Amino acid sequence: MTAAPYALTGPIGARASLGLIVLQADEVLEQDFRRLFPDPDVAIYVSRIPSGADLTPETLRKMERALPRAAELLPPSVGFDVIAYACTSGATVIGAERVEDMIFRSADARSVTDPLTAAAEALHHLGARRIGLISPYIEDVSAALRAALAQRGFAITRFASFEEQAEARVARIDPASIRDAAIEVGRNGDVDAVFLSCTNLRALGIIEEVEAAIGKPVIASNTALAWHMGRLADAPPVGPGRLLRA
């Protein structure tokens, strides 16, 4: 055997390296991020975290125990610009500060975020205070989310939920149903913007249609997360909606 000479080169993420800790049950987030970050110099690495079949406060809290290990399973040789725990309701129940602390302790990252933090930053950026909220969650989970947004200075003036507990069914909610709910909530005069909560909602394709119908910004968990990660990494995403054009 002849030893072939080789040279080493730089990281795959020549522009940015993004890490995602994605729920085992989530079918949507990775697909959306492939569309939102088409630049081949933006590398996206994914680790999965065990999640319950049902989405309840108890199953969400259980993820806290698994979160450090999920972060550790991201490639240790990559110096991440941003790592995100990609669960809106999980970050709500566990707490964004607790999530940030666990990830910083478990992986090499310059910044850490989550969809709840990202959505709050995005809504502030858009100047929206009165929020129309669409949730797929049961009331125990939705109530925690509404309270967390209120603590961040937002008034939830309109709210609708699909009241779905089975995580596997969330990704099957028809985008047309999401569109109709968002228009119904967003057309009211006491709403500045609509937030479609949950990384497992297939919302990316209906954002432009809803914005055209209501004349207001619409953000989803995935567009908010991509926008915030892009700002932190200086690698903005490309996609639908006023937020990603702002």
Side-chain angles (χ1 to χ4, degrees):
M1 182 186 77
T2 301
Y6 67 92
L8 296 176
T9 188
I12 295 172
R15 181 168 187 182
S17 294
L18 310 179
L20 294 170
I21 299 171
V22 179
L23 270 60
Q24 180 182 4
D26 194 310
E27 302 177 35
V28 176
L29 180 72
E30 288 170 90
Q31 318 310 322
D32 283 357
F33 263 57
R34 289 191 181 102
R35 294 171 60 186
L36 293 165
F37 290 101
D39 185 345
D41 288 330
V42 176
I44 299 173
Y45 301 87
V46 175
S47 179
R48 290 275 176 169
I49 186 169
S51 57
D54 290 338
L55 199 150
T56 67
E58 291 72 27
T59 59
L60 292 168
R61 288 189 191 98
K62 286 181 180 178
M63 279 192 281
E64 181 174 356
R65 297 196 294 270
L67 186 53
R69 182 57 177 156
E72 289 171 356
L73 289 173
L74 289 165
S77 60
V78 175
F80 286 94
D81 294 283
V82 193
I83 295 176
Y85 169 51
C87 181
T88 318
S89 53
T92 299
V93 170
I94 297 169
E97 291 183 358
R98 176 66 175 150
V99 166
E100 182 181 70
D101 179 66
M102 286 190 290
I103 294 177
F104 272 134
R105 290 174 180 271
S106 304
D108 180 14
R110 288 195 300 108
S111 301
V112 170
T113 190
D114 63 81
L116 175 63
T117 299
E121 291 289 332
L123 291 167
H124 281 304
H125 179 74
L126 292 168
R129 188 187 65 82
R130 302 173 301 169
I131 310 305
L133 176 64
I134 303 295
S135 161
Y137 316 125
I138 61 173
E139 176 56 19
D140 284 351
V141 178
S142 294
L145 177 61
R146 294 197 302 271
L149 289 169
Q151 288 173 357
R152 287 162 174 77
F154 301 103
I156 309 304
T157 53
R158 300 284 171 167
F159 170 68
S161 176
F162 300 117
E163 291 291 324
E164 180 55 66
Q165 181 166 314
E167 186 69 76
R169 290 168 58 89
V170 172
R172 300 291 187 272
I173 295 173
D174 192 329
S177 300
I178 304 168
R179 176 202 62 206
D180 293 346
I183 291 174
E184 180 64 26
V185 163
R187 61 164 47 120
N188 293 282
D190 57 357
V191 169
D192 299 327
V194 173
F195 174 36
L196 309 172
S197 180
C198 187
T199 61
N200 207 18
L201 276 182
R202 290 157 68 175
L204 194 65
I206 59 94
I207 289 174
E208 295 278 9
E209 184 177 358
V210 178
E211 286 192 340
I214 66 175
K216 301 167 187 176
V218 176
I219 70 168
S221 285
N222 292 353
T223 57
L225 187 63
W227 172 84
H228 197 220
M229 294 181 80
R231 282 171 69 91
L232 292 169
D234 194 23
V238 176
R242 296 187 191 182
L243 174 65
L244 300 187
R245 296 193 298 269

